[in-house]
Amino acid sequence: MRRVVITGVGVFASTGKDVDSFFENLLEARSAVCRITRFDPSALSVQIAAEIPDYCPQDYFPPKRLELLDYFTQYSLIAAREAMKSSGLEVSDEERPRFGVVMGTGMAGAHTFDSGYFNLYAKQATRLHPFTIPKIMHNAPTSQICMEFGAQGPSLATSTACSSAGHAIGAAFHLLKYDMADLMLAGGSEAPITYGTFRSWESVRVLAGGNGDPARACRPFSADREGLVLGEGAGVLVLEELEHARKRGAKIYAEIAGYGLSSDASHITQPTVDGPARAIRMALREAGANPEEVEYINAHGTGTRLNDPTETAVIKEVFGEHARRVWTSSTKSMHGHTLGAAGAIELVAAVMALERGMVPPTANFTQPDPECDLDCVPNQAREKKIRTAISNSFAFGGLNAVLLVRRLD
Amino acid sequence: MNVAEKVIEIIVREQHIEPGKVTLDSTFAELGIDSLDGVSILFALEEEFKIDIPDSVAQNMKSIRQVVDSLTRVLEGKDVSDLVALAKGGAPAANT
């Protein structure tokens, strides 16, 4: 059976505009959550987000190209460029039909929708810009990345809310495993910091308040947690068939060895224990891994009242006694919940934990919650040469994605 | 500023083309303007002149001169049916 390895990583996020700074900030437990600057949030009850600081699109794209790119696509391209660069890949013309892209997003072109509909409804415009459709579509990142890097192989987009990137990477992994491609770029991107999106999320009542102290607003697994904080960004990984990577002497970050997915089929927003547990078991089974082998879990860990105890129960259900020993941190405490990008940004965090032998903490931990009694690596990064990690993504709509990565040596 | 000058100004601005490179005799093909660029230019012209350019007329615009002529007729409220007739069987603005 063909094996698949990660040979490139890229991140563009609030906590860092490249993988090195991103991971260093995570290890230092630095939250990037701040008062919203993308629009005037004064009228909102929640006025904070994990924004990419001082972002200037013109630094990355020429004017004409930029006109066709919503923010979520811009972020995806920037992360893809870093992933490609770190892989050292030079794709030949013959290889292009075996080189594909799978990208996930939950909300797609929210900025373009927001400004377009503002013009339409508030300013009584009678027409919208003709680039509206190519900018908002969920497959814009996939297609733009394909065009930039000449990827002509199997390519698609996923949209499963907060599991979008997890499913994208899982799909890319299987395209490689089942010999439909040799090289894939996979990940997710999201740019949800618009007035309309925030009004929508506000009414769900899952956002953390914390206007007075944004950096401490997101406190996953803490007894005093108040909810999630929305974040923006993108994560992209280069996945490559093992022999292809070896032949070119590529640096191998980790093997992607297992993928599990499932549906709760229960409730549109409330998670179950059974659904996510089945996804984790499926990923373990594909990787041929015992539960005891897993040393680190990058949790879904949104910081909502409901997610964290449910995820704790899930981990206990699958890992039994081992659940209390496995380090389980939520880096969302720092980069916020990036929705359709989360599964990719957080898989990069897990891969870097394997690569560097350092596990990022759950920041802002204040006091234990008896219902969340896992070792959530509170506030301090830990050093350990870990071999196997999983990354959890559980979505609104009850669609779950779990990825298992393992050091090759 | 007359219609021709305004059209050229808009195309220079929208397409990020060097001023001076766009003349009345330039064709879209020469300027590297594809079908999606074309609909973007139409949008800008409609916004600028506060008019609606019918698809049937738009499809027939392949050069700056054609744009200016059609636009002038629309602005003067003239009959554009001969242009419409010419456009029959023309290519759609973009693939869907």
Side-chain angles (χ1 to χ4, degrees), chain A residues 280-291:
Chain A
I280 297 175
R281 287 200 177 105
M282 188 185 285
L284 291 170
R285 189 168 67 236
E286 180 171 30
N290 294 317

Side-chain angles (χ1 to χ4, degrees), chain A residues 63-64 67-68 125-131 134, chain B residues 14-16 36-37 39-40 43 46-47 51-52:
Chain A
K64 195 170 174 191
E67 285 173 7
L68 272 161
T126 54
R127 54 176 77 89
L128 288 182
H129 196 280
F131 293 173
Chain B
E14 291 295 314
Q15 295 302 305
H16 307 278
L36 187 59
D37 296 329
V39 291
S40 163
F43 174 78
E46 289 182 325
E47 288 285 283
I51 51 165
D52 286 313

